[in-house]
Structure formats: structure tokens, C-alpha cells
Amino acid sequence: MNTIGDPALMRLLTKIHDEKGLDFTQYKQKSILRRIHSRLHKHHTESYDEYIKIIENDPEEYKGLIGALTINVTEFFRNPESFHAIEKIVIPRVILSKRAYRHKIIRAWSCGCSSGDEPYSLAILLLESLGDAMDKFILTVIGSDIDKDTLSEARDMVYSRERLKAVDGKLLKKYFEETEEGSFRLKDFVKRLVRFKHHDVIKNRPFMHCDIILCRNILIYFNKELQEETQLKFYECLNPGGFWVW
């Protein structure tokens, strides 16, 4: 298997960096190479230079490559045990702390949110926990990702039943509306709580003063040095008593 130092591979990665603003040189090499090679295999080539010509002439393949490299794996309440802990432990403690110190702002950040299922899931749990007290708080959920295409989709997604398989029936009825085709859309009052931001956690300034940070999709793909650097960023972003879930 090639390495990141391979000149032809570096030409491909440099092209992606220059044109899309994405730097994958600090990601785990095996993961990045495996994803790139799967795209090469699809086009029956082993040449990076030949593949560069392919993506120059095929925007959909270029989009597919970026999607493969940015790990767009998501669904509502993915890993239900994690969201159960968020619902039963994290959110109640944040609300209790806010009430104790008479603070009204609750700020959460879903880093690497892909097409938005994670921040929307968090927004639903916050709405459920706050209930009638919602008007006593200023609630903001930030969803960030380096992939502009998936962020664009997130703002007005239509979901299949399979995509919502982990959503409780009561929550489905309360926070979603069914389309004539049998798919589902989030209700507007949920979507208004989530602000999507194009953001590269490696090089862009992080979002400060957070009470909850979710980053469950990207750290495992970073090399050790970058993992430690990113973890430190998250700790610095948290308010006292805040939670980082990964």
C-alpha cells in the first residue's frame, strides 16, 4: 500500500486541498488510502494521476470522493445507548447547573455532523427535557462539518422510515411531519434551533462557551497527535461543568 508521501498521491491530496479546502494529510493513512483506493477500484485504475483526470471530468465522482473521505455516516439517535446517557445524565445536569447559576443560555455543538441527524437528535432531546420551561432559556445547537454538500442537504432533508428507525413513535409524531410519499420532514420549530456552519475543526477557530459537545464521527480517523490537539480544543471550548461526548 502506498503512503501519504507518494508523489502521485500527494498531487491528488493537494488538488483536494487547493480546490475544496480539505487537508487529509493528518488523518490516519490507512483509512484515507483505503477510501481512495475504493474509488480507484470503481474506475478500474491503480493510477492516482489517471484518477485526477477522472474527477476533473466527472463532478459527481469528485463529490463521491469527498463524501467518502469526510465519512458521512449518520442517522437519528445513532448508538441509542449514547443518546440515552445524553438524555438521562448530560442534559439534566446542564439544566440543573443553568438554573442554579441563573444562566439562560444553553449552547451545544455537534462537530462533524454530516447531514444533520446528530444535532437535530440533540435538539429534540433538549426540547423534551426543557418542556414548558423552554421559554426560560436561549437554546442554540450548532452543527458543523467540512463537507458543504451535506450541510446544504441538512437544512431541508426528507427522511425515510429506515433513517428514523431509532426514533420513538411519540417523538416521530411530535417533531416530524409525514409527506404524501410516506417520507418525513422535521417540523420548522426544530429546524430553527439548529445552525449549520461550514467548519474545519483542524484549522478553523472552534466554537467557544459550549455546554455540550458531540464529536463521535471524526476523531477515530485522526492520527494520535491530531487527536490530542483536537481534544484539547474541545476542553477549552466547554463551559465549567460542560460535557464532551465522543
Side-chain angles (χ1 to χ4, degrees):
M1 181 176 281
N2 304 80
T3 67
I4 295 295
D6 181 286
L9 176 57
M10 281 304 301
R11 284 192 288 274
L12 174 59
L13 293 177
T14 299
K15 176 181 178 65
I16 294 170
H17 178 267
D18 291 347
E19 296 179 356
K20 302 296 183 180
L22 306 175
D23 183 2
F24 294 107
T25 58
Q26 297 185 75
Y27 283 54
K28 289 181 178 177
Q29 289 192 18
K30 288 184 179 180
S31 175
I32 291 300
L33 290 170
R34 183 172 63 250
R35 291 167 188 273
I36 292 175
H37 286 171
S38 72
R39 308 305 298 190
L40 267 66
H41 180 73
K42 176 185 173 184
H43 291 275
H44 310 290
T45 181
E46 296 182 0
S47 167
Y48 296 118
D49 287 326
E50 184 175 336
Y51 186 69
I52 289 173
K53 294 178 182 177
I54 291 172
I55 62 175
E56 285 176 342
N57 293 296
D58 186 347
E60 286 301 311
E61 174 57 26
Y62 203 170
K63 181 179 177 180
L65 171 65
I66 298 304
L69 293 176
T70 52
I71 316 114
N72 295 318
V73 178
T74 186
E75 65 182 44
F76 275 78
F77 301 107
R78 187 167 65 90
N79 303 129
E81 64 280 3
S82 296
F83 275 100
H84 180 77
I86 292 169
E87 179 185 15
K88 300 300 182 182
I89 299 172
V90 173
I91 293 177
R93 291 187 182 180
V94 168
I95 294 173
L96 185 64
S97 174
K98 295 294 178 180
R99 284 174 170 155
Y101 291 99
R102 298 184 180 181
H103 293 165
K104 293 184 177 182
I105 298 174
I106 298 177
R107 181 177 167 96
W109 174 20
S110 169
C111 180
C113 73
S114 187
S115 54
D117 295 25
E118 183 176 82
Y120 283 139
S121 298
L122 182 57
I124 288 172
L125 291 186
L126 285 163
L127 286 167
E128 282 291 290
S129 296
L130 289 170
D132 294 338
M134 178 64 193
D135 60 350
K136 297 179 181 178
F137 292 90
I138 301 171
L139 176 60
T140 300
V141 180
I142 299 168
S144 71
D145 203 272
I146 60 174
D147 189 336
K148 291 181 179 179
D149 291 329
T150 57
L151 287 178
S152 296
E153 294 171 0
R155 293 180 174 91
D156 195 28
M157 283 288 291
V158 177
Y159 306 99
S160 65
R161 284 188 178 272
E162 175 64 20
R163 185 86 167 260
L164 304 177
K165 62 186 177 182
V167 180
D168 177 80
K170 182 185 73 173
L171 299 181
L172 188 66
K173 185 175 181 180
K174 186 174 180 180
Y175 295 106
F176 294 83
E177 51 191 15
E178 191 168 1
T179 69
E180 293 181 359
E181 294 78 20
S183 300
F184 294 85
R185 291 182 186 274
L186 274 163
K187 294 183 177 179
D188 286 342
F189 72 92
V190 183
K191 291 194 286 188
R192 282 196 293 267
L193 292 178
V194 180
R195 295 162 46 202
F196 290 104
K197 300 287 187 180
H198 179 241
H199 180 268
D200 185 341
V201 71
I202 298 174
K203 64 181 183 181
N204 295 147
R205 188 173 182 271
F207 301 100
M208 304 300 293
H209 309 298
C210 294
D211 300 294
I212 303 171
I213 297 176
L214 304 187
C215 183
R216 305 185 305 134
N217 298 325
I218 59 175
L219 280 182
I220 59 172
Y221 299 101
F222 291 174
N223 62 36
K224 185 176 180 181
E225 181 180 353
L226 187 56
Q227 282 182 349
E228 293 174 352
E229 180 182 322
T230 306
Q231 289 167 1
L232 180 59
K233 282 184 184 178
F234 288 148
Y235 282 121
E236 292 174 344
C237 290
L238 285 172
N239 286 329
F243 289 84
W244 168 38
V245 182
W246 67 295

